[in-house]
Amino acid sequence: MKIVGTVIATLLVLLAIAVAIMFTGAYNVAATDAHTGLVRWALATTRVNAVRTRAEDIQVPGDLASPERIAAGAKAYDEKCVACHGAPGIKAFEFAEHMMPKPPEMGHVAEFWAPASIYWILDNGFKMTGMPAWGPFEEAEELWDITAFVEAYPDVDAARYKELTAGPDGHGGEGMDRGGEDAGGGQDPE
């Protein structure tokens, strides 16, 4: 009985601390202030487990490695993702450097997330990260195209990216129509 009382008392103290932090504003939520190690761990662990659980039943199309799907995904990625994540030979826009958490560089995403998880992330986004949910605005096929490109990303260099995203006039691959200019606070391609 003494152990139960100790556990309950400990939980009440932790709850009181959490309520005090919430209502006093003691925890700095500014994007310019990094999370503490414990908060960073808790958020990352929750995010990973939540995505993997929700992506378990997603059926992955068999043609993710098709050149057509990868090319379509590169173009969609160039339109929607470059500002925050950059691309081969293209830096992310400057504002992305100041986001908390910082958007990941995509070269290692496919090593960590399975295709179903990448699709789920594109479809649903992440709360409090700046990662939008594209599902309400885009067709599932386009999200699978982007997933295919993200899967292929580690093998795509700057020249191949430019080739994949070039329009009929041979131009493109500058990242969200930057055309080499500093549009929207971005940086020129590397």
Side-chain angles (χ1 to χ4, degrees):
M1 192 65 165
K2 188 174 183 180
I3 293 174
V4 173
T6 302
V7 169
I8 291 173
T10 302
L11 291 174
L12 288 174
V13 168
L14 291 174
L15 179 62
I17 292 170
V19 169
I21 289 170
M22 289 179 350
F23 285 98
T24 63
Y27 189 80
N28 187 353
V29 296
T32 55
D33 187 49
H35 288 302
T36 64
L38 178 62
V39 171
R40 187 173 42 254
W41 171 84
L43 292 172
T45 302
T46 301
R47 180 173 53 244
V48 167
N49 291 321
V51 170
R52 289 183 176 159
T53 297
R54 285 159 182 80
E56 283 179 347
D57 297 327
I58 294 175
Q59 296 299 312
V60 178
D63 66 344
L64 284 188
S66 79
E68 296 80 16
R69 191 173 276 273
I70 292 168
K75 287 179 179 160
Y77 179 94
D78 196 59
E79 293 172 7
K80 295 172 178 52
C81 308
V82 171
C84 293
H85 297 283
I90 301 173
K91 292 181 182 178
F93 282 26
E94 187 176 354
F95 73 81
E97 293 293 320
H98 304 285
M99 293 175 73
M100 184 65 64
K102 184 178 175 195
E105 189 277 320
M106 300 306 285
H108 302 289
V109 168
E111 294 172 11
F112 185 79
W113 294 108
S117 294
I118 294 169
Y119 175 86
W120 188 93
I121 293 165
L122 290 165
D123 192 33
N124 296 282
F126 285 133
K127 292 178 181 176
M128 298 179 68
T129 66
M131 176 62 195
W134 291 107
F137 308 102
E138 302 299 340
E139 297 292 327
E141 282 303 305
E142 183 169 71
L143 300 181
W144 281 117
D145 291 345
I146 297 171
T147 300
F149 174 70
V150 170
E151 283 285 302
Y153 192 103
D155 299 320
V156 176
D157 62 12
R160 178 71 176 133
Y161 183 75
K162 191 165 181 100
E163 178 184 309
L164 286 169
T165 57
D169 61 356
H171 291 90
E174 282 94 18
M176 298 187 71
D177 298 321
R178 286 198 251 186
E181 294 180 17
D182 188 20
Q187 298 173 358
D188 290 335
E190 295 178 330

